[in-house]
């Protein structure tokens, strides 16, 4: 440790310019220093983690490396550090050059610190904050230390604290922090002041994309999130009887966590504390816990928690909270492919919001209902419902809801084969999501745009776009988003004849879908794997894969997915010259597609059926199928396919005349 204050300036003439304060090492430099002393530690996977725990403090790195040289592994030392902290690094019995504790103690007991009013208290406060503290927060977290600027100057001189490179943050190195926490615990009044300041900041987390303060508040909280969690957990588990302030702060902070797609430990702990305290906030904690579980794709657990929350809201007469439980349960059931049940929940919730005058939540119900209709392939109804939702969102300034509906319109247009219009709608939605600070929903637009490029045969652009989306989902650890991108990539790689990469991507997607309990995604991956096997002319394996996929689609009640499998099976039978087997399979596929409002897929199926019928000599029936396909393509402005149908029709007529 070396601060900016030089000892005995009146007696010693120090070299000029003076040495700069000794700062933490970069990770690579810390690793090099450690391995120079203990080269046998190079293969230990926990070495970097250990160095980060020490904040790469030079003396700590040196002392820890000596222990490793004596036979301890970095993994063992990491475990011991978490148990013993600075006591582990005492190797000399009092010599500060060989003991972290002695070095820190001498700095704290120096005259500069002892004669500084509030110095020890300031250290105790900062030690509570693992992420350090923004300088702008100091007056709020230390209201009883009026001379905090002078305190900071003195503590910097003796290297007990240091500033960030841009001088906006104060930090305390991990070994110093551990020592202060152990030997200088924070007084009750100072702790209450610190908690009060962080509770106020937690309230800023309760903002949503589209609100003016959302991006500013998210940026402020992101820098101190580690502090917030330490403060909240300590407050929740303290002996103070009235926990409502800590519970409210946890509820508000969990909104911030929802938008960054993060963990649920804080709000889960809050729910447990609220239940034990018989607090009226118990229902609110459960509701927020359930919504956050949904956000991280824990559907079964989310359903269980929200099912518990609704009667709690009913018991305290909170109709709005009970209606919100119904709405989110509808969302969960949609994600679990239970579309009829989802529709029932959403239709129960909407009139309650209408009666309560909550037009925004009513619009959310409509949007979710539109999504349910899309999953049921009822696209006309879905489009009508989303338009109704947009009108409501516009009346209340619901920018995110408008963007979600625009994205849905893009998907509907995509199903109709209107790819240019779909791209326009999706790009508009993406821009709106980015404008309101919702990068994950913007990434969803990117993924769908990638699929749109694939459907337009623009495979390189599609691959690049989907990889860009996947990077966003990777950063947020959004498992559902990752799985969908992997599935889309598998499609595109297959179309680019990169079959091994395609299979690997699809198998990874299938594994993630299975892990998060998304059976529809699993079925879609199986069907796509069947497509790859068919492209590789491995017809027997492809046939088995399509049959397995169809069974999965039947289980989740997806007639459209089942129809796609049947159509692919029919095409395999055609390619193998088994037209007698192909016809009934394709007829069943067409019947399912007609009920699914998927005109483009229906038209493709008609063309396959026409080929089968023509091979079997049923020319009139083949002409009927081609005529039906042509009418669909014409209604969707698919000129290229209309011309293909015309050529096939002319060919059949000329063959019959011959």
């Amino acid at each position: 440790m070396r601060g900016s204050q030089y000892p005995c300036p009146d007696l010693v003439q120090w070299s000029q310019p003076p040495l700069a304060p000794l700062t933490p090492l970069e990770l690579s430099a810390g690793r090099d220093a450690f391995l120079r002393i203990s080269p046998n530690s190079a293969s230990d996977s926990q070495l970097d983690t250990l160095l980060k725990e020490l904040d790469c403090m030079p003396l700590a790195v040196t002392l820890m490396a000596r222990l490793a040289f004596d036979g301890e592994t970095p993994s063992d030392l990491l475990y011991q550090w978490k148990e013993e902290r600075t006591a582990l690094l005492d190797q000399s019995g009092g010599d500060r050059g060989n003991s972290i504790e002695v070095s820190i103690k001498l700095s704290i007991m120096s005259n500069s610190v002892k004669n500084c009013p509030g110095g020890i208290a300031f250290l105790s406060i900062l030690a509570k904050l693992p992420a350090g503290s923004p300088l702008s927060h100091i007056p709020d977290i230390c209201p009883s230390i009026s001379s905090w600027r002078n305190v900071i100057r003195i503590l910097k001189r003796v290297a007990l604290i240091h500033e960030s490179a841009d001088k906006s943050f104060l930090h305390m190195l991990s070994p110093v922090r551990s020592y202060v926490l152990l030997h200088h615990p924070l007084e009750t009044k100072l702790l209450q002041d610190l908690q009060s300041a962080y509770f106020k900041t937690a309230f800023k987390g309760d903002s949503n994309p589209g609100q003016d303060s959302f991006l500013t508040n998210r940026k402020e909280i992101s820098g101190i999130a580690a502090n917030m969690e330490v403060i909240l957990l300590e407050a929740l588990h303290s002996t103070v009887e009235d926990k409502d302030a800590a519970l409210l702060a946890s509820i508000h902070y969990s909104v911030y966590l929802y938008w960054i797609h993060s963990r649920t430990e804080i709000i889960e702990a809050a729910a447990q504390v609220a239940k034990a305290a018989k607090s009226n906030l118990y229902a609110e904690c459960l509701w927020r816990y359930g919504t956050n579980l949904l956000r991280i794709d824990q559907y079964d657990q989310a359903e269980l928690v929200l099912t518990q929350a609704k009667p709690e809201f009913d018991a305290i007469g909170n109709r709005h909270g009970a209606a919100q439980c119904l709405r989110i349960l509808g969302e969960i059931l949609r994600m679990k492919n239970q579309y009829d049940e989802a529709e029932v929940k959403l239709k129960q919730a909407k009139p309650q919001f209408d009666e309560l005058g909550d037009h925004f939540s009513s619009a959310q119900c409509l949007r979710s209902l539109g999504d349910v209709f899309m999953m049921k392939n009822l696209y006309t109804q879905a489009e009508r419902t989303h338009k109704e939702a947009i009108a409501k969102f516009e009346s209340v300034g619901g920018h995110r809801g408008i963007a979600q509906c625009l994205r849905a319109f893009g998907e509907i247009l995509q199903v109709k084969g209107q790819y240019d219009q779909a791209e326009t709608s999706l790009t508009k939605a993406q821009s709106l999501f980015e404008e309101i600070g919702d990068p994950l929903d913007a990434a969803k637009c990117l993924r769908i745009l990638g699929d749109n490029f694939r459907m337009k045969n623009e495979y390189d652009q599609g691959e690049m776009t989907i990889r860009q989306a996947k990077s966003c989902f990777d950063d947020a650890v959004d498992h559902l988003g990752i799985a969908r991108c992997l599935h889309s990539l598998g499609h595109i790689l297959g179309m680019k004849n990169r079959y091994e990469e395609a299979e690997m991507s699809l198998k990874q997607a299938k594994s993630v879908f299975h892990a998060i309990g998304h059976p529809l995604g699993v079925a879609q991956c199986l069907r796509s794997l069947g497509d790859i096997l068919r492209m590789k002319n491995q017809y027997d394996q492809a046939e088995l894969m399509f049959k397995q996929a169809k069974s999965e689609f039947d289980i989740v009640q997806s007639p459209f997915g089942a129809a796609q499998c049947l159509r692919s099976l029919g095409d395999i039978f055609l390619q193998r010259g088994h037209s007698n087997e192909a016809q009934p399979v394709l007829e069943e596929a067409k019947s399912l597609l007609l009920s699914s409002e998927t005109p483009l897929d229906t038209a493709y199926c008609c063309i396959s059926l026409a080929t089968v019928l023509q091979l079997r000599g049923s020319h009139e029936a083949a002409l009927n199928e081609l005529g039906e396909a042509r009418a669909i393509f014409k209604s969707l402005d698919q000129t290229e396919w209309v011309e293909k149908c015309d050529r096939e029709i002319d060919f059949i007529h000329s063959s019959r005349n011959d």
Side-chain angles (χ1 to χ4, degrees):
M1 296 171 64
R2 182 170 70 229
S4 59
Q5 175 175 302
Y6 300 98
C8 307
D10 298 329
L11 301 177
V12 179
Q13 184 174 354
W14 295 99
S15 59
Q16 297 296 326
L19 293 172
L22 192 59
T23 59
L25 300 170
E26 295 289 335
L27 180 60
S28 58
R31 190 187 308 113
D32 289 343
F34 193 101
L35 293 177
R36 283 181 181 275
I37 299 171
S38 178
N40 292 333
S41 300
S43 61
D44 195 298
S45 62
Q46 295 299 311
L47 175 57
D48 283 0
T49 306
L50 175 62
L51 293 170
K52 290 174 185 175
E53 281 284 328
L54 299 172
D55 277 334
C56 284
M57 183 179 178
L59 178 57
V61 171
T62 300
L63 297 177
M64 197 69 84
R66 289 179 188 172
L67 293 175
F69 179 78
D70 290 336
E72 301 276 6
T73 68
S75 296
D76 290 338
L77 290 170
L78 178 62
Y79 174 79
Q80 292 176 54
W81 169 256
K82 291 179 178 178
E83 293 294 315
E84 302 176 43
R85 294 294 175 181
T86 52
L88 178 63
L89 299 182
D90 188 346
Q91 300 174 9
S92 72
D95 176 10
R96 76 178 295 168
N98 290 289
S99 170
I100 285 287
E101 285 210 350
V102 171
S103 182
I104 295 169
K105 182 178 180 181
L106 287 174
S107 294
I108 291 176
M109 297 305 295
S110 67
N111 287 332
S112 296
V113 177
K114 283 197 298 184
N115 295 330
C116 173
I120 301 295
F122 190 92
L123 286 173
S124 299
I125 292 168
L126 198 60
K128 283 284 187 183
L129 308 176
S133 175
L135 277 168
S136 59
H137 284 195
I138 298 300
D140 295 324
I141 65 174
C142 307
S144 62
I145 303 176
S146 58
S147 58
W148 57 267
R149 290 182 180 84
N150 185 54
V151 170
I152 290 172
R153 281 193 290 270
I154 291 171
L155 295 178
K156 281 166 56 183
R157 287 176 190 168
V158 294
L160 289 170
I161 63 175
H162 63 277
E163 289 179 331
S164 59
D166 63 0
K167 300 187 181 300
S168 65
F169 250 77
L170 283 177
H171 294 281
M172 181 180 285
L173 294 175
S174 178
V176 179
R177 180 171 171 263
S178 297
Y179 180 90
V180 173
L181 285 171
L182 180 64
H183 296 285
H184 299 281
L186 193 58
E187 295 176 6
T188 301
K189 176 63 171 66
L190 296 175
L191 177 60
Q192 290 172 346
D193 290 342
L194 179 62
Q195 288 176 343
S196 177
Y198 267 80
F199 290 172
K200 289 177 183 176
T201 303
F203 275 71
K204 297 180 181 180
D206 197 351
S207 58
N208 299 300
Q211 294 179 342
D212 293 339
S213 60
F214 176 69
L215 292 175
T216 303
N217 290 343
R218 186 168 70 176
K219 183 178 180 181
E220 178 182 352
I221 294 174
S222 66
I224 58 167
N227 301 344
M228 184 69 74
E229 299 190 10
V230 167
I231 298 294
L232 289 177
L233 284 173
E234 183 175 13
L236 288 170
H237 294 126
S238 70
T239 56
V240 177
E241 287 190 15
D242 185 3
K243 300 287 179 63
D244 279 2
L247 290 172
L248 276 171
S250 300
I251 290 167
H252 292 298
Y253 178 64
S254 70
V255 180
Y256 161 79
L257 292 176
Y258 176 89
W259 290 116
I260 66 165
H261 216 261
S262 192
R263 305 176 312 280
T264 59
E265 288 88 346
I266 297 292
I267 193 62
E268 181 181 7
Q272 292 170 350
V273 169
K275 182 179 181 180
K278 297 182 179 179
S279 169
N280 282 342
L281 294 171
Y282 178 48
E284 187 73 17
C285 288
L286 284 176
W287 182 78
R288 180 47 60 187
Y289 180 29
T291 58
N292 283 29
L293 285 167
L294 170 61
R295 184 69 166 175
I296 59 173
D297 310 317
Q298 299 292 321
Y299 307 129
D300 290 339
Q301 183 67 12
E303 184 179 3
L304 178 65
V305 170
L306 286 163
T307 301
Q308 293 172 346
K310 185 182 180 302
E312 294 294 335
F313 279 120
D314 289 333
I316 59 176
N318 189 331
R319 294 176 58 204
H320 188 267
Q324 289 287 15
C325 289
L326 288 172
R327 181 179 69 82
I328 300 299
L329 281 167
E331 282 284 295
I332 293 168
L333 291 165
R334 177 178 66 84
M335 297 305 297
K336 293 177 70 173
N337 314 122
Q338 298 175 21
Y339 306 125
D340 292 340
E341 296 91 333
E343 186 177 345
V344 168
K345 294 289 185 188
L346 292 166
K347 286 182 175 178
Q348 287 176 343
K350 183 185 176 300
Q352 295 186 41
F353 290 126
D354 290 334
E355 188 177 334
L356 292 166
D358 184 350
H359 303 298
F360 178 75
S361 294
S362 175
Q364 286 182 307
C365 289
L366 283 171
R367 181 194 58 76
S368 296
L369 278 168
D371 290 343
V372 169
F373 295 140
M374 281 178 61
M375 296 308 297
K376 294 171 78 171
N377 306 118
L378 302 173
Y379 294 107
T380 302
Q381 199 169 350
E383 187 172 4
R384 183 170 60 248
T385 306
H386 277 117
K387 284 180 179 177
E388 188 180 348
I390 277 189
K392 276 186 174 287
F393 281 126
E394 287 176 339
S395 71
V396 294
H399 302 295
R400 181 170 181 264
I402 292 169
Q404 288 174 313
C405 291
L406 287 172
R407 185 175 63 207
F409 288 150
E411 292 184 88
I412 293 170
L413 289 164
Q414 199 176 78
V415 170
K416 293 179 177 181
Q418 298 173 9
Y419 304 126
D420 291 339
Q421 297 95 315
E423 184 176 346
T424 299
S425 188
L426 290 165
T427 303
K428 187 175 179 181
Q430 180 199 350
S431 297
L432 187 49
F433 282 128
E434 289 173 346
E435 184 181 323
I436 64 175
D438 189 351
L440 282 180
D441 273 305
K444 291 177 186 178
C445 293
L446 274 177
R447 181 190 62 78
I448 301 166
L449 276 167
D451 286 337
N452 205 63
F453 287 126
R454 171 179 59 82
M455 294 171 187
K456 294 170 69 176
N457 302 324
E458 298 175 11
Y459 302 129
D460 290 342
Q461 182 67 27
E463 181 180 355
M464 183 181 71
T465 303
I466 290 169
R467 289 193 186 280
Q468 185 181 347
K470 183 177 178 295
S471 176
C472 296
F473 293 126
D474 285 336
D475 290 343
V477 197
D478 183 331
H479 299 294
L480 181 59
I482 292 167
R484 285 177 168 161
C485 285
L486 287 168
H487 180 233
S488 295
L489 276 173
H491 263 301
I492 287 182
L493 293 168
M495 297 307 296
K496 296 176 77 172
N497 302 324
R498 290 157 58 183
Y499 299 131
E500 289 185 7
E501 293 175 74
E503 285 187 273
M504 184 181 301
S505 187
L506 290 168
K507 286 176 180 177
Q508 288 176 344
K510 176 175 169 287
S511 176
V512 178
F513 279 128
H514 179 75
I516 63 175
H518 199 288
L520 179 61
V522 172
Q524 289 168 334
C525 289
L526 288 171
R527 182 180 61 78
S528 298
L529 283 165
D531 285 333
I532 300 299
L533 291 167
R534 186 181 62 181
M535 292 176 191
K536 294 169 68 176
N537 300 324
Q538 297 177 8
Y539 297 128
D540 289 341
Q541 291 172 268
E543 182 179 342
L544 288 173
M545 194 66 74
F546 285 129
K547 287 179 177 177
Q548 184 182 351
K550 182 184 178 298
S551 296
E552 296 294 330
F553 281 121
D554 288 338
I555 291 171
V556 298
Q557 298 179 352
S558 173
F560 176 62
Q564 287 181 308
C565 292
L566 288 169
R567 185 163 71 86
S568 296
L569 282 169
D571 289 341
I572 286 178
F573 293 143
L574 260 179
Q575 288 172 296
R576 300 173 80 177
H578 301 161
S579 57
N580 58 325
E581 294 179 70
Q583 183 174 344
V585 170
L586 289 168
E587 286 173 344
E588 185 182 353
K590 181 185 173 185
S591 175
L592 289 171
L593 289 168
L594 285 170
S595 66
S596 298
E597 286 191 37
T598 50
L600 203 55
D601 285 275
T602 303
Y604 294 144
C605 193
C606 287
I607 289 177
S608 295
L609 257 177
T611 304
V612 170
L613 292 165
Q614 190 178 350
L615 288 170
R616 303 190 73 188
S618 302
H619 301 297
E620 198 63 40
L623 286 170
N624 289 337
E625 294 296 336
L626 286 168
E628 189 175 344
R630 185 186 186 282
I632 294 172
F633 287 132
K634 187 174 182 180
S635 70
L636 298 174
D637 296 322
Q638 298 283 318
T639 306
E640 182 181 347
W641 281 97
V642 171
E643 292 172 353
K644 285 183 180 180
C645 290
D646 287 338
R647 287 195 296 271
E648 286 297 316
I649 290 169
D650 289 343
F651 176 77
I652 293 175
H653 282 307
S654 62
S655 298
R656 293 176 73 184
N657 291 334
D658 291 343

